[in-house]
Amino acid sequence: MKPCGEDDADAARCSWDVRCSGLARATHNPIRAVVENLHLEPNPGKQLIALSLGDPTVFGNLQPPGELLEAVQSSLESLSYNGYTAGRGSQEAREAVAKYSSTPGSTVDPNDVVLCSGCSGALDICITGVADPGQNILVPRPGFSIYRTLAEGCGIAVRSYDLKPADGWEADLVQMEQQIDKNTALLVVTNPSNPCGSVYSRRHLMDILEVARRNYLPVLADEIYEHMVFPGKEFISMGSLSQDVPILVCSGLAKRFLVPGWRIGWIIIHDRNGILQKEVYGGLQRMSQRTVGCNTLVQGALPAILANTPKDFFVNTIAVLYNNALVAYDILKRVEGLYPVMPEGAMYMMVGIDMIDFPFEDELEFLQQLMREESVFCLPGQCFDYPNYMRLVITVPEDLLKEACHRIADFCARHHKTICTLPT
Ligand SMILES: *Cc1c(COP(=O)(O)O)cnc(C)c1O
């Protein structure tokens, strides 16, 4: 082994100094960053109830239907899905997704589908496939942190547009438009929303598209919670509304089919005016080739999954989520100092905390103390760039959710500054 010396300037390596890349160094997950700095010690006398994980499988109460398991079993046993597919996915799987994603007014062509490793994989390909380092993307606040994780590592800046809790978490369109400049590459819209549980009306989606159209800005629509909407609400895919604005819709099996671990997602390219034909189609396809495509076994099952999953299964899942949302909302709306926002879909509820009312510095301290006393954990709003809120996951079994909400109510009553017993 050669010692490091002065004359080694051009003999680059003379010792073990192995570093990670700038990309790896700059990649971080805000949820991890916030949660790892919390002191989370549950009360040993109370069962821990974690309302923090956005994974519907953790409690075992929500299971995928038998049709899904049979579809994967057939795929496995056929021995036809052990090899590679094209980077963007097999023809049959893309045809199945195209059919599943078509609406009466908007037919999706299989050539407009790129299969990916989960919806996160789809978002990664869209963001890094369209935006350059030095450019920026617009994301909602409060919003899911993965957009930031994917963009910032690559030197793509993230700008936030505000959502308004009192207006069903609609976007502040004026402030949104003020964020746009010539370096803005994508406008990210999450509908239905994690963490808000909001579902946008056709009118609001049209208004957002109008901002995008005026500014020649393509839209990245994260619709992983597509169709997961509560009674009285309608899910409208942004892709079905576009006349001229190019829209990349990202979705997948994870949430609606309750199998996040299967890692199948997709991009649907909506490009009525052929604006993306010049470069972006090819760009997205080349990006999909970086990992030689996604899980072939589940691709083989995809046509059966998307065609055979009974309607009842979806209806039941929504019924469970809606009931849980009502149960939690009904308890928390009576709590002094808390402002729950009733969700309209997805699997979360945001709850505002009036920090003035409590002897805690911020929601982090509130939630740490809640954990210490009541063994209940919710994610702090800061994980979603939105302090003084907490996010509850409503996929938990009803009795546990009820118990958790009662404990939160007790905790608030104990610590509320202005609730005092009057002398009798
Ligand atoms: C869960 C989630 C995803 C990730 O989905 P995967 O298919 O598991 O990668 C993407 N976007 C939002 C808003 C989510 O909540």
Side-chain angles (χ1 to χ4, degrees):
M1 189 183 289
K2 216 167 37 146
C4 290
E6 280 137 53
D7 56 342
D8 277 337
D10 50 349
R13 305 190 75 98
C14 62
S15 71
W16 283 110
D17 183 20
V18 184
R19 307 289 193 96
C20 72
S21 67
L23 171 59
R25 209 171 297 129
T27 297
H28 78 113
N29 178 337
I31 297 185
R32 287 274 153 78
V34 171
V35 172
E36 276 169 12
N37 279 316
L38 296 179
H39 299 284
L40 295 174
E41 294 159 38
N43 178 343
K46 293 189 177 184
Q47 185 201 356
L48 174 66
I49 308 176
L51 305 180
S52 49
L53 265 178
D55 178 344
T57 71
V58 286
F59 286 88
N61 56 323
L62 295 171
Q63 295 289 349
E67 285 80 358
L68 247 73
L69 311 181
E70 283 159 25
V72 175
Q73 221 144 20
S74 310
S75 172
L76 176 69
E77 286 165 5
S78 74
L79 302 179
S80 304
Y81 301 102
N82 294 332
Y84 293 118
T85 61
R88 62 176 175 159
S90 71
Q91 177 71 20
E92 305 86 77
R94 283 185 293 106
E95 273 169 12
V97 171
K99 192 161 171 229
Y100 171 76
S101 306
S102 291
T103 57
S106 147
T107 307
V108 176
D109 187 284
N111 286 323
D112 299 336
V113 177
V114 180
L115 290 184
C116 307
S117 180
C119 182
S120 324
L123 295 167
D124 187 21
I125 287 179
C126 291
I127 292 172
T128 59
V130 172
D132 265 321
Q135 289 196 295
N136 65 78
I137 60 171
L138 289 191
V139 305
R141 173 172 53 212
F144 190 46
S145 57
I146 195 157
Y147 316 121
R148 189 176 290 277
T149 303
L150 294 172
E152 285 182 344
C154 301
I156 301 160
V158 170
R159 298 180 179 185
S160 300
Y161 62 88
D162 291 322
L163 308 183
K164 301 178 287 181
D167 296 333
W169 298 104
E170 287 193 349
D172 180 336
L173 297 172
V174 174
Q175 187 257 358
M176 173 193 274
E177 193 155 12
Q178 285 165 352
Q179 308 290 311
I180 301 171
D181 65 16
K182 66 178 194 325
N183 283 319
T184 306
L186 284 170
L187 169 60
V188 179
V189 177
T190 316
N191 179 54
S193 161
N194 174 9
C196 304
S198 49
V199 178
Y200 287 159
S201 65
R202 178 182 304 267
R203 180 199 48 77
H204 189 54
L205 293 171
M206 296 292 271
D207 288 347
I208 293 172
L209 280 178
E210 181 53 30
V211 171
R213 195 191 58 78
R214 271 205 297 276
N215 292 279
Y216 303 95
L217 187 56
V219 169
L220 172 52
D222 182 346
E223 298 182 353
I224 187 70
Y225 297 99
E226 62 184 335
H227 308 294
M228 296 177 75
V229 303
F230 298 159
K233 286 284 154 186
E234 188 190 2
F235 167 74
I236 297 160
S237 173
M238 264 191 133
S240 72
L241 297 179
S242 170
Q243 296 307 315
D244 42 11
V245 176
I247 304 183
L248 303 173
V249 172
C250 293
S251 186
L253 293 183
K255 308 295 165 50
R256 190 177 187 219
F257 292 82
L258 305 175
V259 288
W262 287 12
R263 311 311 301 136
I264 286 282
W266 49 78
I267 305 165
I268 314 254
I269 306 169
H270 292 271
D271 184 34
R272 309 264 185 282
N273 276 4
I275 294 159
L276 305 181
Q277 285 293 349
K278 190 166 141 201
E279 275 204 16
V280 174
Y281 268 88
L284 296 178
Q285 280 195 37
R286 289 193 298 279
M287 292 300 285
S288 77
Q289 288 157 7
R290 287 167 58 98
T291 52
V292 205
C294 64
N295 191 318
T296 308
L297 186 66
V298 185
Q299 282 190 52
L302 211 43
I305 288 173
L306 297 180
N308 300 348
T309 302
K311 241 195 165 91
D312 276 1
F313 163 75
F314 299 124
V315 172
N316 289 341
T317 309
I318 302 266
V320 168
L321 295 174
Y322 183 50
N323 177 62
N324 279 353
L326 289 171
V327 163
Y329 182 74
D330 192 55
I331 299 171
L332 298 177
K333 75 176 182 205
R334 298 164 206 273
V335 177
E336 288 283 339
L338 293 188
Y339 298 90
V341 184
M342 179 64 193
E344 302 165 321
M347 36 185 239
Y348 312 97
M349 181 187 293
M350 284 288 267
V351 179
I353 309 170
D354 198 345
M355 292 313 310
I356 305 261
D357 287 354
F358 298 101
F360 306 117
E361 197 178 313
D362 53 20
E363 95 273 14
L364 302 179
E365 215 183 294
F366 177 102
L367 291 166
Q368 286 175 149
Q369 195 61 28
L370 175 67
M371 180 70 147
R372 206 167 291 140
E373 295 180 23
E374 299 290 349
S375 300
V376 170
F377 183 55
C378 309
L379 279 189
Q382 286 183 33
C383 292
F384 308 99
D385 206 7
Y386 212 65
N388 303 336
Y389 273 77
M390 56 181 166
R391 188 198 73 174
L392 275 61
V393 166
I394 56 169
T395 51
V396 176
E398 184 185 343
D399 53 339
L400 279 186
L401 184 63
K402 228 181 217 166
E403 166 72 18
C405 290
H406 283 305
R407 289 193 207 166
I408 293 172
D410 291 348
F411 174 83
C412 289
R414 242 184 351 262
H415 292 282
H416 198 279
K417 283 180 188 165
T418 58
I419 299 175
C420 49
T421 350
L422 292 171
T424 47

